Amino acid sequence: MPTPQEMLERFQDSYALGDEAIDHTHREFLELCLAAANAKGPEFVETFQALFDHTNHHFADEEAKMQASAYPAFGEHRANHQRILGDMDRFCQRAAAGRAQMARAWLNDSLPAWFDLHAKTMDSALVVHLRQHG
Ligand SMILES: [Fe+2]
Ligand SMILES: [Fe+2]
């Protein structure tokens, strides 16, 4: 699985979906993942929290677009967002409580793998729909 750094390097070829706002948000997401992965000590909790806040907005923006365009797969896409937000919230709380190790592992392994698949499937399908109905 590519790291967030590698995903940013190959963003245009592998992750750009052709929707300017969504692509911009996805680059910011990967930059925040990278910042959290590189953060040391107390800075880790701060950057993880920034990633969590950004992800809340990222998902809310996509869901607003789905609702505004009567997207048929809204429920499925939203459920996938909620699952990852729940995990992120839990690991963020653990990190804030001084247990950063599992949060780091999740951030380095599970989250990039989730983004790779989610961007290429659910977000990609949403962008196709928005092009036709947005
Ligand atoms: Fe997204
Ligand atoms: Fe999404």
Side-chain angles (χ1 to χ4, degrees), residues 22 25-26 58-59 62 77 81 114-115 118 123:
I22 289 176
T25 299
H26 285 174
H58 166 187
F59 291 174
E62 285 181 15
H77 194 146
H81 284 169
W114 169 82
F115 177 76
H118 185 86
D123 287 348

Side-chain angles (χ1 to χ4, degrees), residues 24-37:
H24 180 76
T25 299
H26 285 174
R27 276 187 199 273
E28 288 178 337
F29 170 82
L30 289 170
E31 279 159 11
L32 287 166
C33 288
L34 188 60

